[in-house]
Amino acid sequence: MTDGAVPDGAVTGAPLHLTLVRHGATDWNGAGRWQGWSDTPLGAVGEAQAARLRPRLAGRSFDRVFSSDLARAARTAELSLPAGTPLTLDVRLRELHFGVFEGVTTDEVLGDDRYARWQLDPWGTPAPDGESLSQVGARLRDWAGELPGGRVIAFTHSGATDTGA
């Protein structure tokens, strides 16, 4: 939303109360593979994690519910919230795009010279064929800047929430 309109269900003038939820585990998490923008589904462990979150969220109400458009985050939202809860998918809530490191294990990434170069300045330098932490932070600030207030929950990714945006 960039036209200045207030989103449906928004509480204008109210303080923003933002709850961030990291998606449940995928099989790639278990294998130590970097996911980034790869659209991997929740694994059995992740489905159980999301189901365990449901009672904790049951007593809370939210004016708006957002999720990354990647399946693992959206499925976590679906399993964690009451059936039929309106969910807005937003690409800006995606994980950091790890580029050439997506699908690769941590051991393989750590042995790659390109990773060592990227880590010299991950905020200013994009991952090879990916993005930098500052780029992720910018898209998250853009998203958050459009929230007019109220109680908002967003289902996203650990790399996205670690940017300090």
Side-chain angles (χ1 to χ4, degrees):
M1 174 180 302
T2 57
D3 61 5
V6 175
D8 292 339
V11 181
T12 58
L16 175 63
H17 298 278
L18 179 60
T19 301
L20 296 175
V21 177
R22 188 248 189 208
H23 64 79
T26 69
D27 291 341
W28 277 25
N29 290 129
R33 294 197 179 281
W34 290 28
Q35 296 171 97
W37 286 13
S38 299
D39 201 8
T40 54
L42 284 182
V45 171
E47 298 245 347
Q49 289 168 332
R52 284 195 309 271
L53 180 59
R54 181 177 220 143
R56 294 184 66 191
L57 296 178
R60 299 180 65 188
S61 64
F62 297 99
D63 300 308
R64 296 289 310 235
V65 179
F66 292 91
S67 175
S68 159
D69 66 327
L70 297 175
R72 59 193 182 270
R75 182 69 176 148
T76 299
E78 291 169 1
L79 293 172
S80 300
L81 298 167
T85 299
L87 178 64
T88 302
L89 301 180
D90 197 310
V91 68
R92 294 172 296 181
L93 292 170
R94 278 187 175 193
E95 176 64 281
L96 170 72
H97 188 337
F98 292 111
V100 299
F101 302 130
E102 296 202 13
V104 179
T105 67
T106 297
D107 288 342
E108 292 167 329
V109 168
L110 293 176
D112 190 317
D113 290 341
R114 295 172 296 180
Y115 174 76
R117 286 192 298 276
W118 175 44
Q119 289 306 291
L120 293 173
D121 182 21
W123 287 93
T125 303
D129 296 331
E131 64 183 339
S132 69
L133 290 173
S134 63
Q135 289 172 301
V136 177
R139 62 179 157 82
L140 292 173
R141 283 189 301 278
D142 179 61
W143 170 78
E146 293 178 2
L147 300 174
R151 295 172 313 275
V152 174
I153 187 169
F155 293 80
T156 187
H157 309 268
S158 62
T161 60
D162 288 345
T163 65

